[in-house]
Amino acid sequence: MAQSPISRITVIGGGQMGSGIAQVAATHKHEVTLVDVNQEALDRGKSYMAKSLKRVAKKKFAEDETAQSRFVDEIMGRVSLSTKPQEAVSRADLVIEAIVENIKVKQDLFAQLSKAAPQEAILASNTSSLPIGKIAELLDEQRKQRFIGLHFFNPVPQMKLVEVVRTKEVEQSVVDSAVAWVKAIGKAPAVCKDTPGFIVNRLLLPYMMESIRLLERDVASAQDIDTAMKLGAGYPMGPFELCDYIGLDTIKFIVDGWHKDGEGLKGNPLFTSSTKLDELVKQGRLGVKSGKGFYDY
């Protein structure tokens, strides 16, 4: 396993992404502080981690309940909870934000955190669609040089990839440190420039949107398109299964944003909204999380 000098992690946002990042970091013996707006949100994040770790423990120590409990307790013991973000980042080597996909909320958060975090700390956003450089817009030049994107994938404990997104201002040493840390927590880094969608979503969104347009044109059913891509292209999930898993509202939010003002993508027909997608979102059919999307769950 690769070594990294980063040992104290603060994760802002206790949802599934934030708690997943915290779980993985704690599993690899990092000291982690998970931050959210209130104790209720933190308790949910703690519950996500505990349930996930119990599943891992059952596989790892199938016949030994004592070992299972020890495994979970040891990892959870490395995670502290806090509702005070500035206090929580005061000793951090790395701060990772995993909150709502709203550029202003993220900018304001980092403006606050930059006042309290050590000058040598690396600040990172887990955004999947917003420009990293724009999130860092309110920071001074020194902070911008230590600001990076670390895009994890859901579910974090299972998904190996982390996109390491470099801005024009970031120092190479920060990129190198981020890559080393990603490897140290058992993940695989893929480094890319700060461009809309980074690597995966830049390729994935056009694929999903074209699949929806095939459905709109009555070329084939959602089931047959999914079957074709799984058996013909070797994909583990079809595009409609994937849309439902990601969340149709999330896909619409990203596509609409890119079409409106994405760098190099503004007005691109690849990212024109879909009548079918708009209708489903309006009906509250958001995918797996709402119980209905392209499919019923």
Side-chain angles (χ1 to χ4, degrees):
M1 189 67 70
Q3 297 296 309
S4 168
I6 295 171
S7 62
R8 293 186 297 271
I9 317 296
T10 298
V11 181
I12 312 291
Q16 286 190 324
M17 290 301 294
S19 61
I21 296 167
Q23 175 189 324
V24 170
T27 298
H28 288 82
K29 298 183 166 39
H30 291 77
E31 177 187 328
V32 182
T33 303
L34 183 64
V35 181
D36 215 314
V37 292
N38 55 48
Q39 191 60 46
E40 183 182 356
L42 289 171
D43 289 341
R44 281 197 301 270
K46 186 177 180 180
S47 176
Y48 291 147
M49 283 187 281
K51 287 177 183 176
S52 177
L53 286 169
K54 284 175 184 176
R55 288 194 294 269
V56 175
K58 283 181 180 178
K59 291 180 182 178
K60 197 176 180 72
F61 308 102
E63 305 299 326
D64 190 339
E65 290 187 5
T66 301
Q68 290 176 25
S69 295
R70 189 186 308 119
F71 174 81
V72 174
D73 292 345
E74 183 180 327
I75 294 171
M76 292 298 292
R78 299 189 193 108
V79 181
S80 302
L81 306 178
S82 176
T83 56
K84 300 177 180 178
Q86 288 181 296
E87 182 180 299
V89 303
S90 62
R91 294 174 56 249
D93 300 318
L94 171 64
V95 178
I96 304 175
E97 164 271 312
I99 63 171
V100 63
E101 287 286 82
N102 180 298
I103 193 86
K104 187 175 188 316
V105 174
K106 290 180 188 287
Q107 287 174 336
D108 291 346
L109 172 68
F110 279 112
Q112 291 178 24
L113 299 181
S114 68
K115 298 173 184 176
Q119 279 301 123
E120 66 274 13
I122 296 173
L123 304 183
S125 175
N126 178 59
T127 183
S128 61
S129 62
L130 299 174
I132 301 298
K134 195 166 182 179
I135 294 172
E137 209 166 54
L138 302 182
L139 305 182
D140 62 34
E141 290 306 310
Q142 189 173 356
R143 286 293 192 192
K144 287 179 181 177
Q145 291 170 2
R146 302 192 66 77
F147 196 95
I148 201 163
L150 288 176
H151 179 216
F152 289 77
F153 290 78
N154 191 30
V156 177
Q158 282 78 47
M159 298 294 279
K160 292 283 289 184
L161 180 67
V162 179
E163 291 176 320
V164 179
V165 187
R166 57 183 309 149
T167 64
K168 294 176 182 178
E169 296 85 3
V170 69
E171 293 178 346
Q172 183 60 43
S173 62
V174 173
V175 178
D176 293 342
S177 293
V179 166
W181 180 74
V182 168
K183 291 179 179 178
I185 61 168
K187 301 295 185 186
V191 180
C192 67
K193 291 182 179 180
D194 185 14
T195 187
F198 315 137
I199 300 170
V200 173
N201 284 337
R202 182 65 171 267
L203 296 173
L204 199 59
L205 265 294
Y207 160 67
M208 291 190 290
M209 291 304 295
E210 189 58 24
S211 300
I212 296 170
R213 292 186 185 105
L214 285 178
L215 180 65
E216 288 178 328
R217 295 197 295 269
D218 201 26
V219 171
S221 68
Q223 292 91 335
D224 284 343
I225 293 170
D226 277 353
T227 298
M229 293 311 295
K230 286 189 286 186
L231 301 184
Y235 287 14
M237 298 174 75
F240 295 100
E241 292 171 323
L242 186 58
C243 284
D244 278 354
Y245 182 77
I246 292 170
L248 305 191
D249 54 334
T250 300
I251 293 168
K252 176 174 167 53
F253 173 81
I254 295 171
V255 168
D256 288 352
W258 288 357
H259 190 261
K260 183 180 178 182
D261 59 8
E263 183 182 348
L265 302 181
K266 187 174 181 179
N268 190 317
L270 278 175
F271 303 106
T272 302
S273 191
S274 147
T275 302
K276 180 68 173 176
L277 181 63
D278 291 348
E279 287 175 355
L280 290 172
V281 172
K282 188 175 181 179
Q283 293 166 11
R285 295 180 64 108
L286 308 181
V288 175
K289 61 187 173 185
S290 69
K292 292 183 178 183
F294 285 103
Y295 298 110
D296 292 349
Y297 297 90

